[in-house]
Amino acid sequence: MNKERELARRFDTEGVEAAMRAAQTSEEKAYVTNLQRMREGVRAVADVPEISDIQFNAFMAGIREQIEAPQSRRGFWALLSLSTAALLVALSVFVVFMSDHGNSESKVEAATTNLQGATVNSYVTPDGNPVIWISTASRDVP
């Protein structure tokens, strides 16, 4: 491990050739070669493209163009859709509550059961609601 540290120190301070001269075995030479590959890989990744002063005006022109572009009219259509939906809901509520339901009437014309030993009784309550009552020997079923 100390030999690898020495090779890495020489690689960083004196360069690849000095580290290769100090490497004695094939494993040490492979280690220096790997250090060189890693260094080249880091350099390739570290190259970040930059916008030079000459390119800056063209870069900012695209940004200005998007900022100064007129806004789309999606807000208008969203407001129109919301207004239409609210109008439909209001009309539906008006129709439901203003229609006359007082003329509807419920009548029981016949009531039967297939339960063994059960009887069926029907009657209308004082407020006009029909009731069907099924009675069995063990319990009543409304």
Side-chain angles (χ1 to χ4, degrees):
M1 188 60 113
N2 286 335
K3 186 64 175 181
E4 288 179 353
R5 283 187 188 163
E6 175 64 24
L7 291 172
R9 186 192 61 74
R10 280 195 183 205
F11 181 84
D12 289 336
T13 57
E14 299 172 24
V16 177
E17 294 81 16
M20 279 299 216
R21 283 191 304 267
Q24 296 170 353
T25 65
S26 62
E27 289 90 13
E28 292 173 353
K29 290 182 182 188
Y31 179 73
V32 173
T33 304
N34 284 338
L35 286 176
Q36 186 177 8
R37 285 185 191 148
M38 284 191 285
R39 175 74 54 94
E40 290 169 0
V42 169
R43 279 191 195 126
V45 174
D47 289 339
V48 178
E50 296 179 4
I51 298 173
S52 67
D53 292 339
I54 296 171
Q55 297 169 320
F56 190 74
N57 286 335
F59 173 74
M60 286 304 294
I63 293 175
R64 280 190 210 102
E65 183 179 303
Q66 291 298 317
I67 290 174
E68 295 169 357
Q71 296 295 320
S72 67
R73 300 192 45 96
R74 281 186 275 173
F76 169 75
W77 291 109
L79 183 62
L80 182 65
S81 298
L82 183 63
S83 300
T84 304
L87 180 64
L88 288 173
V89 168
L91 285 173
S92 300
V93 168
F94 178 76
V95 167
V96 168
F97 287 115
M98 297 310 278
S99 62
D100 186 21
H101 295 291
N103 295 338
S104 62
E105 193 174 295
S106 299
K107 292 183 181 179
V108 177
E109 295 180 2
T112 61
T113 183
N114 293 333
L115 298 174
Q116 295 285 336
T119 58
V120 178
N121 296 320
S122 65
Y123 61 93
V124 178
T125 61
D127 59 350
N129 293 321
V131 176
I132 301 172
W133 198 270
I134 302 171
S135 299
T136 62
S138 62
R139 64 176 194 235
D140 290 339
V141 181

